Amino acid sequence: MASTLLSSPLQGFTDFRFRNAFHHYFGGIDTFYAPYIRLNGKLKIKQSYQNDLQPENNTTLEVIPQVMTNDADEFIFVAKYVQSLGYKELNWNLGCPYPMVTKSGMGSGLICNPNKINDILHKAHNETDILVSMKMRMGYEHAEEILDAFPILDQYPLKNIAIHARIGKQLYKGPVDLDAFEKCISSTKHKLYYNGDITSVSTYKAIEERFPSIDHFMMGRGLIADPFLPSMIKNNTTEYPKDRWSIFSEFHDTIYQQYDAYLSGPTPIKMKMLGFWEFFSQSTSNPQKTYKAIKKATNPVKYRQAVDKIIATEIKVKRAF
C-alpha cells in the first residue's frame, strides 16, 4: 500500500515560503497543511494569514488551511473566507499543546469538551458546505479524552482525523503512546492519519508495520530537522543524495533571502533562522556545536560565515566516510 505523506503545520515555520522551497528542493510531501488561522474574537483575517493562503503563493502545492477556535461563528467565518479563495477543506486544530492556547479552551484543551465540539461541528455542517477534517491529540490531561469525543465526531461526515499520539500536557516530551493510538483505530468509523515522532526511515517503517490499516502519515518537526526524509521514505532508501549539503545550502539560501526581504532588520531574521537551526542542526554531525555557532553569529555577515563553515564541515565529514 503506497502511503501518503503530509506536512503537519508548525506555527512560525511552515508558511508558504518554507512550503514552496521545500517542495522545490526536496519533494516527498503530498499535501501541506497551512499553519492555523486564529481570530482572537475579531471576525477579521490578519494580513499574514491572507498572504499565506493566497492562491498565487501556492501554485504548485496541495495546501489545506487550518483554523484554531472554540467558537462556531469564528469557524464559519474562516470557512467562508477560505472557500472564497477556492479551498474546499478546512482542518480544525484540536492538537496544539501550548498552555497559552489550551488554557483558553482551544487546541488540545478542547478535546475534553465534546458538547462544545458538537455545537461547532453542528453549526459548521448546517451553515457551510466545506469539508471538515480534524487535527487532534489524544487529549490534554489523559489519553482517554479522545475516546469520549469519538461518539460526537462519528455523527459528522469528517474527511479524516489526524492524531498526534501524545497528550497535550506532554508538549513534545516523552515517547509517543502507540498503544493509545491503537485504541483509537477501533473506536471510530473515521479515517485516521498518524502523526508523531517520524524522525527517520526506520521509525516510519516501524509505525507503518505496527498499523497496517494506516496509509496517511503526518510529519512535523522531523521534516524540518531532516528535509530529505519524506523523499527517502517515498523511495524506500536510507541513502542521502551525493550532493546532499549543496541542495540543503540552496534551500537555506532561498528561505533566508525570502524571509530577509519580508522581515525588517537584522534581529527578526536572526531569530527566524535561529528557530529553523534548532531543527536543522539535528541532522548535522555535531548538533550542539552547530546550533551554538548559529547562536553566536551576531550579525548577517557572521551568520553567513557560520552557515558556510557548517556546510563545508558537513561535506568534509561525508567525504571522510
Side-chain angles (χ1 to χ4, degrees), residues 74 90 152 185 221 250 277 303:
E74 287 189 356
L90 181 61
I152 295 296
I185 296 173
R221 296 169 305 142
E250 287 183 37
W277 277 101
Y303 175 83

Side-chain angles (χ1 to χ4, degrees), residues 235-253:
N235 294 319
N236 192 26
T237 181
T238 55
E239 295 289 320
Y240 287 93
K242 288 187 171 62
D243 53 352
R244 170 187 180 181
W245 289 105
S246 299
I247 295 170
F248 176 81
S249 180
E250 287 183 37
F251 163 74
H252 167 275
D253 291 355

Side-chain angles (χ1 to χ4, degrees), residues 11 33 127:
Q11 212 70 9
Y33 286 78
E127 297 185 27

Side-chain angles (χ1 to χ4, degrees), residues 171-231:
L171 296 177
Y172 292 96
K173 297 167 188 167
V176 287
D177 190 341
L178 298 182
D179 292 338
F181 181 82
E182 191 161 6
K183 281 185 193 171
C184 293
I185 296 173
S186 57
S187 301
T188 178
K189 69 177 188 180
H190 288 302
K191 183 174 183 63
L192 299 186
Y193 295 0
Y194 176 84
N195 179 217
D197 283 14
I198 297 177
T199 54
S200 67
V201 175
S202 59
T203 55
Y204 164 77
K205 282 186 172 177
I207 292 164
E208 185 187 40
E209 283 170 19
R210 172 147 186 191
F211 306 119
S213 65
I214 303 297
D215 60 0
H216 283 63
F217 297 87
M218 190 175 267
M219 305 168 66
R221 296 169 305 142
L223 171 149
I224 303 176
D226 185 355
F228 291 94
L229 183 55
S231 61

Side-chain angles (χ1 to χ4, degrees), residues 34-321:
Y36 61 72
I37 294 172
R38 184 175 173 182
L39 298 184
N40 296 317
K42 296 176 184 175
L43 296 183
K44 187 178 178 185
I45 308 290
K46 282 198 316 189
Q47 190 62 48
S48 59
Y49 297 147
Q50 292 185 43
N51 293 343
D52 193 43
L53 292 176
Q54 284 302 319
E56 62 264 30
N57 290 334
N58 298 282
T59 55
T60 61
L61 310 172
E62 182 180 10
V63 176
I64 297 171
Q66 187 182 75
V67 63
M68 166 91 76
T69 187
N70 58 6
D71 180 90
D73 291 335
E74 287 189 356
F75 190 104
I76 290 163
F77 182 81
V78 173
K80 290 181 175 175
Y81 171 72
V82 300
Q83 280 184 308
S84 76
L85 298 176
Y87 295 98
K88 294 179 170 52
E89 178 183 343
L90 181 61
N91 186 262
W92 188 15
N93 184 317
L94 269 68
C96 183
Y98 292 110
M100 62 183 290
V101 168
T102 57
K103 283 177 183 172
S104 304
M106 289 188 282
S108 58
L110 184 56
I111 300 170
C112 64
N113 193 341
N115 290 333
K116 172 78 84 164
I117 294 169
N118 183 50
D119 290 345
I120 294 170
L121 287 175
H122 178 78
K123 199 164 183 182
H125 283 91
N126 274 277
E127 297 185 27
T128 77
D129 60 354
I130 200 159
L131 190 59
V132 179
S133 59
M134 311 285 289
K135 173 86 165 69
M136 302 180 73
R137 289 213 172 196
M138 302 292 185
Y140 183 75
E141 293 282 348
H142 57 81
E144 284 70 42
E145 289 174 33
I146 195 169
L147 301 180
D148 295 334
F150 279 145
I152 295 296
L153 299 178
D154 280 356
Q155 295 174 31
Y156 296 96
L158 304 175
K159 182 189 170 192
N160 65 271
I161 303 171
I163 301 175
H164 183 122
R166 283 187 174 89
I167 57 171
K169 271 179 77 171
Q170 281 183 268
L171 296 177
Y172 292 96
K173 297 167 188 167
V176 287
D177 190 341
L178 298 182
D179 292 338
F181 181 82
E182 191 161 6
K183 281 185 193 171
C184 293
I185 296 173
S186 57
S187 301
T188 178
K189 69 177 188 180
H190 288 302
K191 183 174 183 63
L192 299 186
Y193 295 0
Y194 176 84
N195 179 217
D197 283 14
I198 297 177
T199 54
S200 67
V201 175
S202 59
T203 55
Y204 164 77
K205 282 186 172 177
I207 292 164
E208 185 187 40
E209 283 170 19
R210 172 147 186 191
F211 306 119
S213 65
I214 303 297
D215 60 0
H216 283 63
F217 297 87
M218 190 175 267
M219 305 168 66
R221 296 169 305 142
L223 171 149
I224 303 176
D226 185 355
F228 291 94
L229 183 55
S231 61
M232 288 165 70
I233 288 171
K234 282 287 179 74
N235 294 319
N236 192 26
T237 181
T238 55
E239 295 289 320
Y240 287 93
K242 288 187 171 62
D243 53 352
R244 170 187 180 181
W245 289 105
S246 299
I247 295 170
F248 176 81
S249 180
E250 287 183 37
F251 163 74
H252 167 275
D253 291 355
T254 297
I255 61 170
Y256 181 90
Q257 287 158 15
Q258 291 186 10
Y259 285 121
D260 194 31
Y262 167 66
L263 299 166
S264 51
T267 302
I269 185 64
K270 166 72 190 290
M271 298 312 294
K272 169 66 78 173
M273 297 312 296
L274 191 62
F276 276 115
W277 277 101
E278 201 169 337
F279 293 106
F280 293 159
S281 63
Q282 294 170 30
S283 289
T284 63
S285 52
N286 191 330
Q288 200 173 353
K289 187 177 178 183
T290 296
Y291 187 66
K292 191 176 178 183
I294 294 293
K295 210 170 180 182
K296 283 171 64 180
T298 51
N299 62 49
V301 173
K302 288 181 178 176
Y303 175 83
R304 182 71 261 174
Q305 290 169 344
V307 171
D308 288 346
K309 189 174 179 183
I310 289 163
I311 301 293
T313 299
E314 296 306 320
I315 291 172
K316 198 181 291 182
V317 167
K318 182 178 179 292
R319 282 177 185 154
F321 280 92

